[in-house]
Amino acid sequence: MTNLAVDLGPRSYPIQIGSGFTAAIGAFARTVAPQSELALIVTDENVDPHAPPLAESLKAAGFRTSTVILQPGEATKSLTWANELYDELAELNADRRTLVVALGGGVIGDLAGFAAATYNRGLPLFMVPTTLLSMVDSSVGGKVGINHDRGKNLIGAFHQPAGVAIDLDYLKSLPDREFRSGLAEVVKYGVILDAEFFDYLERNSAAILARDPAVLETIVTRSCALKAHVVERDEREETGLRAMLNYGHTFAHAFEIIAGYGTWLHGEAVSAGMVCAAQLAQNLGRVPDGFAARQMNLLERFGLPIQPLPEWDAGEMVDAMRRDKKSQAGRLRFVLPTKLGHVELVDGIDEAEVRRVLGH
Ligand code: GLY
């Protein structure tokens, strides 16, 4: 078992990472929510078999529990379903101490987190991520939210969890495509912050794909520690540091919009997005020769997409990038590497350069 902490003063919280410790998660939740009587578990149909053991563990720690099982998929991250959770909380007479437990991937964490952030002006939130992507990214850092017709994650809040319990055993039943998608965000941490970690991923790619438990614990722990380090320094994405986590994401969001959400998994879009960003950096002379190829080789080894689909229109992709909520006044803005382990925010890139890496 590995223990990490996200140090945010009064909003600090622990992260526990280990294998097969669901029976102990209740006791962990009790340490971060000593006053809570009720725990509302929010989950989806993909992972609902994990809900009863978690509920037992919470009950053994003195929580009364109730479980809401939602439809899996991005469409669930909506005001309609947030409202369902409000109804459920009201029905249960939830009070300020009621613990919202998000058992699932990014959609469940974001939605349950959003309900927790807003119901009764804020309830404690406990994250139990079940996908690699949510373990290494969305369960840590307090970004919660729902989608709006005009944009993904357009409505949201910063609401740090009270604790995060990462049971790596959940990865055993994760579909292969989902697992690989999560690896894109893992590779991202190496590229943006930690060259040594990138080397480790290259050296251990076979063991990673074989889901070797010790290697998984290492990569999840390192990813969470790197994310915690960034969040501690720029909790609300104000100084530009947290924005570095969006490496590859300007391209990725455009790919997701053009393909239609759900066609590509988020990590798949991020993978192709990182390949484009690296190539852009290389074309602009910002990285040493061979950088883009090295990153691409690792992503390819993980079975991830490395380019946008040829039928996607470059003009539409560029328009989507200009509309990205992270762009400013429609200017094209990218997180670009300078070397392995270091990236910078670069504004005002020429559209022709962007089109060149999109292959059009
Ligand atoms: N996933 C990016 C962030 O948490 O800031």
Side-chain angles (χ1 to χ4, degrees), residues 63-318:
F63 293 91
R64 198 158 50 84
T65 68
S66 183
T67 302
V68 179
I69 301 169
L70 303 172
Q71 292 263 322
E74 195 67 35
T76 298
K77 233 174 85 173
S78 66
L79 203 49
T80 308
W81 290 102
N83 201 40
E84 283 291 316
L85 298 183
Y86 298 147
D87 287 349
E88 186 68 24
L89 287 163
E91 190 67 29
L92 291 164
N93 292 319
D95 63 28
R96 275 263 170 87
R97 293 166 305 179
T98 297
L99 186 66
V100 175
V101 179
L103 171 68
V107 166
I108 290 296
D110 285 8
L111 173 76
F114 179 74
T118 46
Y119 189 86
N120 225 342
R121 296 203 180 87
L123 305 181
L125 171 67
F126 190 73
M127 295 295 211
V128 189
T130 57
T131 64
L132 182 58
L133 195 93
S134 58
M135 288 176 183
V136 299
D137 184 13
S138 54
S139 69
V140 176
K143 280 190 182 175
V144 296
I146 54 175
N147 299 328
H148 182 270
D149 288 347
R150 297 291 289 271
K152 211 179 160 194
N153 299 325
L154 208 52
I155 306 166
F158 286 99
H159 185 64
Q160 297 295 341
V164 183
I166 302 182
D167 186 341
L168 299 163
D169 270 10
Y170 292 136
L171 297 180
K172 286 183 177 160
S173 54
L174 189 67
D176 193 53
R177 201 176 152 199
E178 293 260 359
F179 180 73
R180 291 169 188 268
S181 166
L183 289 176
E185 297 279 1
V186 174
V187 171
K188 181 192 79 178
Y189 288 114
V191 177
I192 67 173
L193 292 164
D194 191 342
E196 202 182 287
F197 184 41
F198 188 92
D199 284 342
Y200 177 89
L201 297 173
E202 283 181 326
R203 283 196 315 275
N204 291 280
S205 60
I208 291 168
L209 287 171
R211 305 192 198 186
D212 177 284
V215 175
L216 288 185
E217 184 154 348
T218 300
I219 66 170
V220 171
T221 301
R222 186 75 150 251
S223 299
C224 287
L226 289 166
K227 175 138 191 198
H229 183 80
V230 170
V231 170
E232 284 166 356
R233 278 154 192 80
D234 184 18
E235 183 184 4
R236 299 177 71 92
E237 206 165 317
E238 288 161 334
T239 69
L241 185 62
R242 187 162 181 168
M244 302 304 166
L245 298 175
N246 294 323
Y247 174 55
H249 284 60
T250 308
F251 286 105
H253 290 154
F255 300 157
E256 288 179 292
I257 289 166
I258 305 297
Y261 286 112
T263 310
W264 266 10
L265 299 178
H266 179 64
E268 293 172 337
V270 169
S271 171
M274 290 194 293
V275 173
C276 290
Q279 194 56 55
L280 182 58
Q282 192 142 320
N283 293 349
L284 295 171
R286 299 181 67 92
V287 282
D289 279 351
F291 174 95
R294 189 170 168 198
Q295 181 198 258
M296 186 170 76
N297 288 342
L298 182 57
L299 293 167
E300 207 166 20
R301 214 174 309 157
F302 287 148
L304 287 159
I306 50 163
Q307 57 193 13
L309 298 187
E311 61 267 30
W312 294 345
D313 182 76
E316 279 182 42
M317 287 190 264
V318 172

